[in-house]
Amino acid sequence: MKRFSAYIFCLISTFVLAQENDLKRFTLDVNTYYGTILEHNPDIAHLITDHPSGLILSYNRKTYGFKDWESRYNYPDWGFSFIYQDMKNRFLGENYGLYAHYNFYFLKRHLNFRIGQGIAYTTNPYDKETNFVNNAYGSDLLSTTYVMLNYKKENIFKGIGVQAGISVIHYSNANFKAPNNSTNTFVFNVGANYLFDYDNEPEYIPSSEEKKYKEPIKYNLAFRSGANESDIIGVGQYPFYIVSAYADKRLNRKSAVQVGTDIFFSKFLKELIHFYAVAFPELNVSGDEDWKRVGVFIGHELFINKMSFISQLGYYVYYPYDFEGRVYNRIGLKRYFGDKLFGAITLKSHGAKAEAVEFGIGIRL
C-alpha cells in the first residue's frame, strides 16, 4: 500500500503543479454534511447503524479563459480537497481523504458540479481477530471518489459567499485486499466560501478558437499493472499485467471515441482457480483452467487540458474460466506528458463489482 499511496500522491501533485499560472485567484470553501450510508450491497447492512457526518475543506484555483481549454468548459476551477467523515459505526471508524478535483459551472455559475478523486485513510479496517465485523474495508488505505452538486453564490459580502447541496462519497480499495464491500454515503452539505482578492477579479475572456477541429486516427499502446486479491479472505495478493492496443478518433476538441483490445494476465485468478479446485470439489473446477483473458472494448475520452477522463466498456472474447461475467468496464484519469506519452490510473470493474485499480503508462501515436 505504500507504493499505492505514493503513486496517488504523485498524481495529485502533478495535477496541481501542471496547471497554468496566469492569475492565481482562488477560493477556499468549507462544508459540513450529514447523511446516510446507502445499502448498495446487503452484506454491509449490519454496518448501517447511524447517520455519518463530517467536514469538507477545499482549495479552488479559478480560471478566466487565458488558456483555450478554460473557456471551452465554461471556466472551471481546479484544486484539491480534504474530507473527514465519522462513519458513526464503531466497526467502520473514521475516514480521512485527500483529493484532486474539478468544479464545473452551470446556470450563470450558480450551479456547481464537482468531481474529486483521491486516497483515504480509515482508522478501523477489517482484522480477522479484532474487527472481523468490518467487511467493507479490507485495508487502511482506500481509493475514494466524491461528487458534489451545489447551489453556490460567491462574493456576497466582501469576498464571502455560501453554498448548499448534495454529495456522494465512495470508499473502496478496489480489491487490493479482501474484504472489499465498500461504502457509498449520500449526504446533504452546507457551507461558506471566500474569494481572495475579491475586489480585483478580472473579466472572463470569451473563446476565440476555431469551433471545428480535426485530427487523424491515433494508435495507442498501454501497459497497466498493480496488485489485487480475490474475495476469498486470506488467499493472498498477487500482481496483474494488462497489455492494451487501441485506436482513437477525435470528434472535436473535447471528445474522442476508442476501439481496441486488452490482454489480461491476472495471477489472483490463477490462485482462485487452484483454491476452488482443492477446497470445493463440488464446483467441478479441475485447476487446469486457463486464467488468462482477452477482451475487446469501445470507449470515450474527454480531454480537459492535459488531463482526460476515460470510460470503456468491454467484452471477453477469450474467457476460459467464468469470473464475474463476460462484460467489463473501466473508468479513470489520464495525464499527458507532451503530445505522445501518458500516465493513467483506472478502475476495472464488472458492473459495480471492482476488480482492480490499474496504474498505467502508454504512448499515443
Side-chain angles (χ1 to χ4, degrees):
M1 286 304 290
K2 290 182 179 179
R3 183 168 54 185
F4 177 84
S5 59
Y7 198 105
I8 292 288
F9 179 78
C10 289
L11 181 74
I12 292 175
S13 299
T14 301
F15 174 94
V16 173
L17 296 176
Q19 309 302 316
E20 306 299 338
N21 295 313
D22 295 287
L23 279 177
K24 297 183 179 179
R25 298 291 191 278
F26 66 93
T27 66
L28 296 180
D29 65 58
V30 57
N31 288 273
T32 60
Y33 64 85
Y34 179 85
T36 187
I37 299 174
L38 302 176
E39 190 179 331
H40 70 284
N41 184 333
D43 291 342
I44 68 165
H46 63 288
L47 298 173
I48 305 174
T49 55
D50 205 340
H51 294 281
S53 61
L55 186 71
I56 305 174
L57 302 175
S58 305
Y59 165 91
N60 311 284
R61 269 286 299 277
K62 299 180 70 65
T63 63
Y64 295 94
F66 292 98
K67 300 297 178 183
D68 288 335
W69 73 271
E70 298 171 353
S71 59
R72 196 180 304 153
Y73 286 93
N74 194 30
Y75 317 100
D77 307 332
W78 59 266
F80 52 92
S81 42
F82 168 81
I83 294 182
Y84 162 75
Q85 182 168 343
D86 183 351
M87 303 301 293
K88 295 296 179 67
N89 179 283
R90 65 188 182 92
F91 302 109
L92 289 176
E94 301 172 328
N95 294 345
Y96 300 84
L98 180 65
Y99 306 77
H101 70 248
Y102 275 108
N103 294 324
F104 298 96
Y105 290 91
F106 309 91
L107 300 180
K108 297 183 179 180
R109 303 188 69 79
H110 293 316
L111 188 64
N112 172 214
F113 173 74
R114 176 184 295 178
I115 181 167
Q117 177 66 44
I119 188 169
Y121 171 78
T122 185
T123 60
N124 200 21
Y126 169 86
D127 185 277
K128 65 180 180 180
E129 295 181 356
T130 62
N131 193 23
F132 57 87
V133 176
N134 184 355
N135 62 350
Y137 311 142
S139 58
D140 53 6
L141 290 180
L142 306 172
S143 173
T144 177
T145 305
Y146 82 104
V147 293
M148 174 185 287
L149 185 65
N150 273 343
Y151 181 83
K152 184 176 182 180
K153 184 69 174 177
E154 291 184 344
N155 197 15
I156 297 174
F157 177 73
K158 293 187 177 181
I160 299 174
V162 295
Q163 71 269 339
I166 56 175
S167 303
V168 176
I169 308 170
H170 171 76
Y171 298 104
S172 165
N173 69 18
N175 265 27
F176 182 83
K177 190 175 182 180
N180 182 48
N181 286 311
S182 73
T183 62
N184 297 291
T185 310
F186 178 83
V187 305
F188 295 94
N189 57 269
V190 62
N193 59 77
Y194 181 76
L195 173 62
F196 284 75
D197 202 15
Y198 61 88
D199 52 354
N200 292 313
E201 188 173 17
E203 297 292 329
Y204 293 103
I205 301 172
S207 174
S208 60
E209 65 182 358
E210 292 285 341
K211 298 301 180 184
K212 293 184 179 180
Y213 180 79
K214 292 184 178 181
E215 190 178 86
I217 294 175
K218 297 289 186 176
Y219 300 95
N220 301 257
L221 289 174
F223 174 77
R224 300 180 175 93
S225 186
N228 62 342
E229 184 175 16
S230 71
D231 290 337
I232 309 299
I233 299 172
V235 170
Q237 298 162 280
Y238 296 91
F240 62 84
Y241 311 98
I242 304 167
V243 180
S244 304
Y246 59 97
D248 73 64
K249 173 61 178 174
R250 290 286 285 263
L251 302 177
N252 48 49
R253 295 184 184 276
K254 293 182 179 181
S255 298
V257 291
Q258 306 169 337
V259 60
T261 185
D262 295 310
I263 304 175
F264 300 92
F265 304 90
S266 303
K267 293 293 292 294
F268 88 92
L269 192 55
K270 178 181 179 181
E271 297 300 324
L272 182 64
I273 292 171
H274 175 72
F275 174 82
Y276 281 147
V278 173
F280 298 95
E282 66 273 18
L283 296 179
N284 296 318
V285 177
S286 69
D288 297 324
E289 290 85 354
D290 192 358
W291 48 277
K292 297 178 286 295
R293 295 166 289 174
V294 178
V296 294
F297 67 86
I298 58 173
H300 178 266
E301 184 167 358
L302 180 68
F303 296 88
I304 307 174
N305 198 12
K306 296 179 181 180
M307 302 286 294
S308 68
F309 177 80
I310 62 172
S311 54
Q312 298 172 347
L313 180 66
Y315 180 83
Y316 297 113
V317 293
Y318 180 68
Y319 187 66
Y321 179 77
D322 185 16
F323 176 76
E324 304 291 356
R326 299 187 76 124
V327 177
Y328 65 93
N329 49 284
R330 175 184 287 124
I331 59 172
L333 293 174
K334 291 172 66 177
R335 205 296 186 174
Y336 285 91
F337 302 92
D339 295 330
K340 297 181 178 180
L341 299 178
F342 61 83
I345 297 181
T346 51
L347 173 67
K348 188 219 173 183
S349 308
H350 300 90
K353 177 66 174 176
E355 180 178 319
V357 170
E358 308 164 331
F359 303 104
I361 56 174
I363 186 168
R364 183 174 185 255
L365 301 173

